[in-house]
Amino acid sequence: MPFKRPAPYPHRESSSQSHSESSTPYLPPSKHARISTSANSLARVKLYIVQAKFDSSTLSELFLLAEKHAGRLCRDAKDADVIVTAISMRRRFERHIPWELAKAKAVVNPQWLRESAKAGKPLPCGDYAALQDLRTPNTQIDIPSNLLPPDPSFPTDIAKLDYASRYACQRPSPLVCPNQSLAKELDIMRRSRALEGEERSALSYARAISVIKGAHNSRIYGAYPHRITSAHQVSKLPCIGTKIEASVMAYTADRRSQTETILKSERFQALSLFSSIYGIGPTTARKLCSLGLRSLDDLEIYYGVERASQRPSLAQGGDIVESNEGLGDSWIRIALELREDLAIQIPRAEVEEMSRVVMDELDELEPGCVSTIVGGYRRGKSESSDVDIVFTHPDAERVKGLCRRLVRRLHEHGMYNLSGFHGHNPLRNTHWDSLEKALTVFTLPKSSSLHNGIRRRLDLIFAPPEVYWTAVIGWTGSIMFQRDIRQWSKDKLAMKFDSSGITRRYDSKAFYPKTEKEVFDLLRLEWIDPMWRNADV
Ligand code: 8GT
Ligand code: MN
């Protein structure tokens, strides 16, 4: 069954004043899609400007820009690819454009036109979406405001945060800190300990890294420089033991001497390589190593994987696997086959497109769902290794079993290869929460302007509405940030926190904060924006 989504526009402009001479079919944005930028120029875009709410000088500025740069300024919105508007409320917008029509177009704010004109090409429309509501499904169900992101989002009051705290959830941790190379260095040591199964040691390194990231701009140490140049400086930071101080000393003295040895080690290389295969953890990697295997060739022979050219393709709709338990080695065979694709990072635009496609499917299945893209994407990473999305529905009953239904639907539409439903979570190596989830492999459909055939890891997490924001926080991470929220809740509040909820330890009373900010308030933590939650490398 073909995947049901608006295909690229079948019609061409009949009038020759348009750009029908172009041999590159212009792929207009469908629904909230973005314009594929590579092959297109702004001169092919058909625009419609909703005049309401603009003052006359802005309006003439926009008309001028449109006439100069855009392909055509349409009289009727239905002829346009892109609708420019200053309206942000759905109800108000609907007075001008029917909602059904709006959903098939890219509806952007005027800044899109200005900046696209400046750039000489159509910029991704998603970044300039005019209407919040267009992200939410076409539905009669009113989504309670507590399930929608706050508007505007809260500012993070950095001055109130505590760089010297032992808990990552009290420190502001940027994506990249001034001591990033030191953090990366320590991360190599962390990885080598983790690969050798030395969990406690690996955790000390992870803590030290997060402390260094969180202390990026610390003035509390008086003359503390932003760049760490001696071990003495880090010794003032919490969670830095003598061993780590020694590592920092070695690093600041003669740079990378320690890690070079690690990186050159044949064993470290083999363990890293093996554990880079999805589903192979350190324990299996060590087992394979102890069997004398060192390379991917060795691994393929060991698991009986055929050479790339002889492999059957997994590209379209593989089997749905209800659980990875019992799959045994066959999972690893699949992971080996997927390995090259999964090693390619996912740009933000593609993350958004994947989310949009999945959300459209979900909307057909169960109108009224809301979702947040979480993981590294939400923390501002420009590229992600997988896509994590948390979903809910205002009606708790409707969430039950929805994960399974969605996965089946995606599979029917050929977009989906294989899933492990959350049983005991064998592929994420620890059991972190009890939410319903599917760990899948997904390819964008051909009808998507960003279709590239690359298979991507996609984690779908379904939370009941009352724990939606705890799930969003947990899955936003980073790992150390989440870990320290747990630790903080336990140490200071005698509460248990994980992605599936917050409970008081002594009587198991559950708490249901209604917004993300309320989770922080309940846990007596200052608000920290996701951008400042990068407590891992
Ligand atoms: P990346 O995907 O770009 O590599 O980065 P990421 O998005 O930060 O990492 P991730 O491995 O996709 O995990 C996303 C977040 O989910 C983690 O930061 C972690 O806090 C959270 N998380 C859970 N449950 C689980 C789980 O069972 N396993 C793992 N690995 N992460 C989990 O809430
Ligand atoms: Mn992720």
Side-chain angles (χ1 to χ4, degrees):
M1 187 166 132
F3 172 49
K4 182 170 156 298
R5 251 167 48 84
Y9 278 24
H11 65 264
R12 282 289 178 83
E13 278 299 318
S14 46
S15 113
S16 59
Q17 137 241 44
S18 79
H19 298 265
S20 49
E21 73 277 7
S22 158
S23 57
T24 325
Y26 170 60
L27 296 178
S30 56
K31 281 201 171 175
H32 345 285
R34 45 191 56 251
I35 289 179
S36 110
T37 45
S38 53
N40 302 308
S41 87
L42 194 52
R44 290 199 196 100
V45 178
K46 287 169 274 164
L47 270 189
Y48 178 82
I49 298 177
V50 181
Q51 300 192 15
K53 239 184 137 182
F54 285 121
D55 58 40
S56 56
S57 69
T58 313
L59 209 50
S60 56
E61 175 219 351
L62 296 175
F63 276 113
L64 261 164
L65 280 175
E67 272 162 18
K68 199 159 161 211
H69 301 280
R72 183 153 75 92
L73 196 51
C74 305
R75 279 171 197 277
D76 194 333
K78 74 176 184 328
D79 301 328
D81 307 317
V82 177
I83 299 177
V84 178
T85 180
I87 302 174
S88 58
M89 299 281 295
R90 171 174 170 174
R91 275 205 186 112
R92 211 161 154 199
F93 186 77
E94 275 179 299
R95 288 187 211 150
H96 305 274
I97 309 279
W99 195 244
E100 279 311 308
L101 179 66
K103 286 201 305 171
K105 311 285 177 185
V107 183
V108 296
N109 60 40
Q111 209 48 26
W112 174 86
L113 179 55
R114 295 189 183 107
E115 300 199 13
S116 297
K118 221 186 281 169
K121 61 178 184 191
L123 295 174
C125 291
D127 297 346
Y128 299 88
L131 300 167
Q132 284 285 325
D133 266 0
L134 223 46
R135 284 254 13 99
T136 59
N138 166 35
T139 166
Q140 302 311 315
I141 297 163
D142 266 340
I143 293 166
S145 59
N146 64 12
L147 292 179
L148 295 173
D151 189 21
S153 56
F154 305 101
T156 305
D157 190 347
I158 302 272
K160 281 195 181 158
L161 300 177
D162 181 2
Y163 294 95
S165 169
R166 301 185 64 80
Y167 301 94
C169 53
Q170 292 194 306
R171 301 185 298 250
S173 309
L175 203 49
V176 177
C177 78
N179 294 299
Q180 195 69 17
S181 55
L182 170 61
K184 278 190 179 156
E185 196 74 357
L186 294 173
D187 193 53
I188 295 169
M189 294 180 219
R190 181 197 64 76
R191 264 177 45 216
S192 94
R193 305 300 192 272
L195 288 169
E196 292 298 354
E198 296 162 21
E199 291 300 330
R200 282 172 62 99
S201 175
L203 183 57
S204 320
Y205 277 99
R207 280 226 176 85
I209 291 163
S210 82
V211 163
I212 285 168
K213 287 207 73 172
H216 61 99
N217 196 17
S218 174
R219 259 166 255 126
I220 49 167
Y221 302 101
Y224 186 86
H226 298 179
R227 286 291 291 260
I228 294 168
T229 48
S230 79
H232 174 66
Q233 292 162 330
V234 293
S235 68
K236 294 177 182 172
L237 297 170
C239 309
I240 309 269
T242 45
K243 251 189 171 166
I244 290 177
E245 215 184 305
S247 302
V248 175
M249 197 181 297
Y251 174 73
T252 48
D254 63 351
R255 306 262 147 177
R256 46 197 80 242
S257 57
Q258 291 202 18
T259 47
E260 256 169 35
T261 325
I262 296 176
L263 291 172
K264 274 189 198 143
S265 131
E266 194 197 22
R267 181 171 165 87
F268 176 80
Q269 286 174 8
L271 290 176
S272 294
L273 180 67
F274 295 165
S275 63
S276 75
I277 310 293
Y278 183 66
I280 297 189
T283 312
T284 311
R286 288 197 300 278
K287 190 192 95 188
L288 297 168
C289 225
S290 71
L291 294 172
L293 313 184
R294 289 293 178 270
S295 68
L296 283 181
D297 283 348
D298 295 346
L299 218 55
E300 293 198 336
I301 293 165
Y302 179 76
Y303 284 109
V305 177
E306 296 157 62
R307 297 252 42 109
S309 54
Q310 297 148 7
R311 284 176 200 149
S313 172
L314 271 173
Q316 291 286 297
D319 295 329
I320 288 196
V321 179
E322 297 286 322
S323 155
N324 298 306
E325 292 170 73
L327 254 186
D329 288 353
S330 68
W331 176 259
I332 294 182
R333 276 196 282 277
I334 292 161
L336 270 169
E337 206 261 309
L338 290 169
R339 144 169 205 283
E340 279 165 19
D341 279 11
L342 299 191
I344 306 169
Q345 295 281 299
I346 316 170
R348 292 181 73 80
E350 196 177 332
V351 173
E352 287 155 21
E353 175 73 349
M354 285 168 65
S355 162
R356 192 189 60 76
V357 168
V358 171
M359 204 54 193
D360 284 352
E361 287 296 315
L362 187 59
D363 191 29
E364 301 271 318
L365 204 62
E366 191 62 79
C369 287
V370 283
S371 67
T372 302
I373 309 174
V374 287
Y377 169 87
R378 189 156 185 259
R379 301 195 310 275
K381 278 170 79 169
S382 57
E383 293 186 318
S384 302
S385 51
D386 66 1
V387 177
D388 312 286
I389 309 176
V390 174
F391 301 89
T392 194
H393 190 285
D395 178 353
E397 283 306 306
R398 291 176 189 260
V399 184
K400 289 185 191 150
L402 192 51
C403 181
R404 207 163 280 252
R405 284 169 62 207
L406 175 63
V407 165
R408 290 205 178 282
R409 187 181 171 95
L410 294 178
H411 184 257
E412 277 163 24
H413 290 181
M415 296 189 292
Y416 162 82
N417 295 313
L418 190 88
S419 169
F421 285 105
H422 168 62
H424 70 176
N425 207 358
L427 296 176
R428 294 213 175 246
N429 44 18
T430 34
H431 174 62
W432 295 41
D433 61 56
S434 57
L435 297 170
E436 198 183 341
K437 57 180 86 85
L439 316 170
T440 75
V441 175
F442 175 92
T443 316
L444 277 173
K446 291 217 172 72
S447 54
S448 162
S449 59
L450 295 182
H451 169 80
N452 55 15
I454 304 175
R455 282 126 353 143
R456 305 297 204 180
R457 283 267 305 106
L458 169 67
D459 287 351
L460 308 168
I461 301 111
F462 283 79
E466 62 276 13
V467 299
Y468 179 61
W469 291 110
T470 13
V472 166
I473 290 182
W475 279 87
T476 296
S478 70
I479 289 184
M480 285 307 285
F481 193 90
Q482 163 166 216
R483 184 183 193 101
D484 278 359
I485 294 184
R486 264 210 308 279
Q487 195 67 47
W488 164 270
S489 307
K490 184 177 170 204
D491 296 351
K492 306 286 177 182
L493 310 166
M495 303 246 244
K496 183 176 170 297
F497 170 94
D498 70 36
S499 295
S500 37
I502 301 171
T503 48
R504 190 158 63 192
R505 281 189 184 265
Y506 82 91
D507 60 357
S508 298
K509 177 180 155 52
F511 292 85
Y512 302 125
K514 291 200 184 61
T515 62
E516 188 172 20
K517 173 76 163 59
E518 265 190 46
V519 178
F520 280 76
D521 291 345
L522 174 71
L523 300 177
R524 300 206 207 122
L525 288 166
E526 286 296 330
W527 167 255
I528 299 186
D529 186 87
M531 299 293 226
W532 292 104
R533 298 184 201 164
N534 289 288
D536 294 72
V537 168

